[in-house]
């Protein structure tokens, strides 16, 4: 290894931009893009870095082959194919044999981004077993630190044994297996420099990968922020980043956080034990910080908003508020495009525009019909082909009836909601202007206007007594998502961070 530089980047200080600036320096020195590795914790962050490098440097995406996640790199270096990877239907088959149920989203465990809203009991068991392997921990220690108090050790052990046997019998592996397999006998990509973004979120296994690649005497750049290390519960090992030997650089200017929000963030950060000293300045703009007794007092009728909650159960409360007011929102509970695409396409269809096969099938499904169509249609063509068989729909088209009279497969509640959204003249053609998320789900994101719900679950509150610093990190991340305004909703119970118990 020639040199190791650790970049500590507080919120909004441009860690990824700084790393890409260093990439530019290496390219200027004659390095080829294939000789540069740029890895990140999440697929989203790795893809963002790759896209920005593609635009900035003009190289084809194929030449930026080492801009990827560590899981993806292990997959490539082991020369695997998709048939080698365990799939959701396999998880479901194993779960049925164990008496569990896992959801159709089970394969998302491999992203290590935490558990999603609405996860089943089986999903939790799968997650806990994988977390034990990714963090090189015992099942006992994982259960001790887990937020799931309804899962027994025996259940996780039964799952672990069944999963291992199934993979061995069918020559399959999951993404954690890929890391272990690559560490044992995988080839090391030829790199001259390696950049690691979101370093505070890497697991122990991923750190082993970084060290193995660094043995080939390359330059190593690590970027992260120990104050934003909020994924310990899902296997992250931020101490590896903090204690990794190397030159330290601190970024001192936030391009996101305004002054009043920065002041609150610093008050929260002061309660994080062991935080490495680092000072950074806010933007010149003053910004707005306000406190409310309840969510209904926050005026979200215009502009872009990010509403943050600590725990999944609070999402439904925010959704209900948006539905009641006719605000168009997006959340993991209720993705909007399943409804808005058919609504928009019904209007297009009535105007005589052609719909693709997929668009037509989505519209017909909302009408409660399943037709095996094989071509694109406009209104006249559809009426000619299907008027006899689908008289109800044909009449609706001929009479130009509104979507809410035709979409019988959409619940009455949703039809009422989307009618109120359209009555408010919300633009449903693009991205919803209000996004509802857990704090963990929004890490790395930002928005002009942020609403923070300060309540937390009983389980989180109990764990806060054991590790108060962790909860301060979580809410430090939350408040620093705000670019212009931060609206803090006071807790409705006594379960909250002490600083919000006003």
């Amino acid at each position: 290894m020639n040199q190791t530089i650790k970049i500590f980047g507080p919120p909004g200080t441009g860690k990824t931009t700084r790393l890409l600036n260093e990439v530019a320096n290496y390219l200027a020195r004659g390095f080829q893009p294939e000789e540069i590795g740029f890895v990140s914790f999440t697929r989203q962050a790795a893809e963002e870095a790759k896209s920005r490098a593609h635009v900035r440097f003009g190289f084809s995406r194929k030449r930026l082959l080492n801009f990827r996640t560590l899981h993806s790199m292990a997959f490539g270096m082991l020369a695997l194919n998709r048939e080698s990877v365990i799939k959701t239907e396999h998880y479901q088959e194993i779960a049925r044999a164990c008496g569990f149920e896992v959801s159709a989203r089970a394969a998302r465990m491999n992203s290590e981004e935490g558990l999603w809203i609405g996860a089943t009991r089986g999903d939790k068991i799968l997650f806990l077993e994988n977390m034990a392997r990714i963090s090189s921990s015992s099942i006992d220690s994982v259960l001790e630190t887990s937020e799931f108090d309804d899962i027994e050790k025996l259940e996780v052990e039964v799952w672990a044994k069944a999963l291992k046997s199934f993979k061995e019998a069918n020559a399959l592996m999951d993404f954690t297996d890929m890391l272990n397999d690559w560490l044992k006998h995988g080839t090391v990509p030829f790199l001259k420099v390696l950049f690691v973004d979101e370093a505070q979120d890497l697991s122990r296994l991923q750190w082993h990968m970084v060290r193995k690649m660094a043995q080939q005497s390359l330059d190593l750049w690590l970027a992260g922020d120990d104050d934003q290390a909020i994924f310990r519960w899902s296997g992250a090992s931020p101490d590896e980043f903090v204690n990794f030997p190397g030159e330290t650089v601190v970024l001192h200017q936030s391009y996101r956080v305004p002054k009043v929000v920065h002041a609150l963030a610093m008050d929260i950060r002061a309660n994080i034990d062991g935080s490495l000293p680092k000072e950074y300045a806010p933007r010149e703009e003053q910004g707005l910080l306000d406190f409310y007794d309840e969510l209904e007092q926050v005026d979200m009728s215009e502009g872009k908003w990010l509403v943050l909650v600590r725990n999944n159960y609070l999402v439904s409360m925010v959704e209900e508020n948006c539905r009641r007011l006719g605000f168009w929102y997006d959340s993991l509970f209720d993705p909007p495009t399943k409804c808005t695409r058919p609504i928009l396409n019904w209007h297009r269809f009535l105007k005589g525009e052609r719909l693709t096969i997929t668009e037509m099938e989505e519209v017909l499904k909302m009408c409660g019909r399943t037709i095996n169509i094989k071509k694109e249609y406009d209104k006249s063509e559809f009426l000619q082909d299907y008027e006899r068989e689908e008289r109800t729909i044909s009449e609706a088209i001929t009479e130009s009836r509104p979507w809410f009279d035709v979409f019988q497969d959409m619940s009455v509640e949703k039809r009422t909601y989307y009618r109120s959204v359209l009555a408010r003249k919300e633009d449903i053609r693009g991205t919803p202007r209000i996004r509802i998320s857990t704090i963990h789900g929004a890490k790395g994101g930002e928005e002009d206007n942020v609403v923070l719900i300060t309540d937390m679950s009983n389980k989180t509150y109990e764990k806060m007594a054991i590790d108060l610093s962790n909860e301060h990190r979580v809410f430090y991340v939350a408040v620093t998502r705000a670019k212009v305004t931060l609206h803090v909703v006071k807790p409705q119970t006594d379960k909250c961070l002490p600083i919000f118990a006003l």
Side-chain angles (χ1 to χ4, degrees), residues 338-390:
K338 289 183 179 180
C339 293
T340 56
R341 277 199 309 260
I343 292 171
L344 291 168
N345 288 330
W346 178 256
H347 284 288
R348 290 176 53 216
F349 197 59
L350 293 184
K351 292 178 181 178
E353 295 184 34
R354 298 179 69 84
L355 297 189
T356 66
I357 293 174
T358 300
E359 291 170 341
M360 194 71 207
E361 286 177 341
E362 287 179 343
V363 167
L364 293 174
K365 185 178 185 303
M366 282 296 178
C367 296
R369 297 289 193 275
T370 302
I371 303 174
N372 186 26
I373 62 174
K374 297 181 180 179
K375 65 176 184 178
E376 298 179 357
Y377 279 100
D378 64 16
K379 183 169 61 174
S380 60
E381 291 170 331
F382 183 84
L383 290 174
Q384 181 178 343
D385 286 0
Y386 293 103
E387 187 168 10
R388 291 183 180 178
E389 293 88 347
E390 298 296 333

Side-chain angles (χ1 to χ4, degrees), residues 219-366:
D219 286 353
L220 179 62
W221 293 77
L222 307 173
D225 182 10
D226 55 306
D227 295 329
Q228 299 183 69
I230 63 173
F231 283 95
R232 290 176 184 266
W233 67 280
S234 62
S237 185
D239 292 342
E240 299 271 2
F241 171 52
V242 172
N243 297 326
F244 204 100
E247 177 187 345
T248 297
V249 176
V250 177
L251 303 182
H252 295 290
Q253 177 63 56
S254 178
Y255 303 98
R256 175 198 304 154
V257 184
K259 289 181 178 178
V260 291
V261 176
H262 179 267
L264 174 61
M266 292 301 99
D267 288 343
I268 296 173
R269 181 175 171 269
N271 293 282
I272 300 176
D273 291 336
S275 172
L276 293 182
K278 59 183 85 72
E279 298 296 328
Y280 69 103
R283 295 167 53 208
E284 284 299 315
E285 289 77 5
Q286 186 70 14
L288 173 69
L289 171 64
D290 212 343
F291 292 83
Y292 303 82
D293 291 322
E294 53 189 20
L295 176 61
E296 288 75 8
Q297 296 174 344
V298 184
D299 182 6
M300 295 189 290
S301 57
E302 295 181 355
K304 301 280 284 185
W305 294 79
L306 174 61
V307 185
L308 296 176
V309 300
R310 176 61 181 86
N311 302 103
N312 292 338
Y313 79 95
L314 292 162
V315 170
S316 57
M317 179 267 291
V318 183
E319 287 180 332
E320 174 57 33
N321 182 71
C322 289
R323 284 195 295 267
R324 182 172 51 80
L325 296 172
F327 295 159
W328 193 36
Y329 68 89
D330 186 13
S331 80
L332 293 177
F333 266 177
D334 193 16
T337 52
K338 289 183 179 180
C339 293
T340 56
R341 277 199 309 260
I343 292 171
L344 291 168
N345 288 330
W346 178 256
H347 284 288
R348 290 176 53 216
F349 197 59
L350 293 184
K351 292 178 181 178
E353 295 184 34
R354 298 179 69 84
L355 297 189
T356 66
I357 293 174
T358 300
E359 291 170 341
M360 194 71 207
E361 286 177 341
E362 287 179 343
V363 167
L364 293 174
K365 185 178 185 303
M366 282 296 178

Side-chain angles (χ1 to χ4, degrees), residues 193-205:
V193 58
L194 176 64
F195 294 90
V196 181
D197 203 359
E198 299 180 316
Q200 78 281 344
D201 292 328
L202 300 188
S203 67
R204 287 194 181 96
L205 275 183

Side-chain angles (χ1 to χ4, degrees), residues 131-143:
M131 188 171 71
R133 287 186 290 133
I134 198 72
S135 61
S136 303
S137 303
S138 67
I139 292 176
D140 282 324
S141 63
V142 166
L143 284 171

Side-chain angles (χ1 to χ4, degrees), residues 401-472:
R401 287 166 57 189
W403 62 272
F404 48 81
D405 279 348
V406 182
F407 286 4
Q408 299 302 311
D409 203 55
M410 187 186 297
S411 68
V412 173
E413 291 77 11
K414 282 195 173 181
R415 276 182 276 169
T416 300
Y417 164 62
Y418 281 103
R419 288 186 71 180
S420 66
V421 167
L422 292 169
R424 289 197 71 257
K425 300 189 182 302
E426 295 264 13
D427 185 0
I428 65 170
R429 293 171 297 180
T431 303
R433 60 182 187 81
I434 298 175
R435 182 162 65 99
I436 306 168
S437 174
T438 61
I439 298 170
H440 287 83
K443 186 179 179 297
E446 60 183 21
E447 192 50 84
D448 288 344
N449 309 295
V450 172
V451 178
L452 176 60
I453 308 298
T454 52
D455 288 284
M456 62 179 62
S457 69
N458 291 336
K459 185 68 174 179
T460 300
Y461 185 73
E462 291 170 5
K463 286 189 173 296
M464 184 173 70
I466 302 172
D467 189 356
L468 185 59
S469 289
N470 183 66
E471 283 308 306
H472 281 96

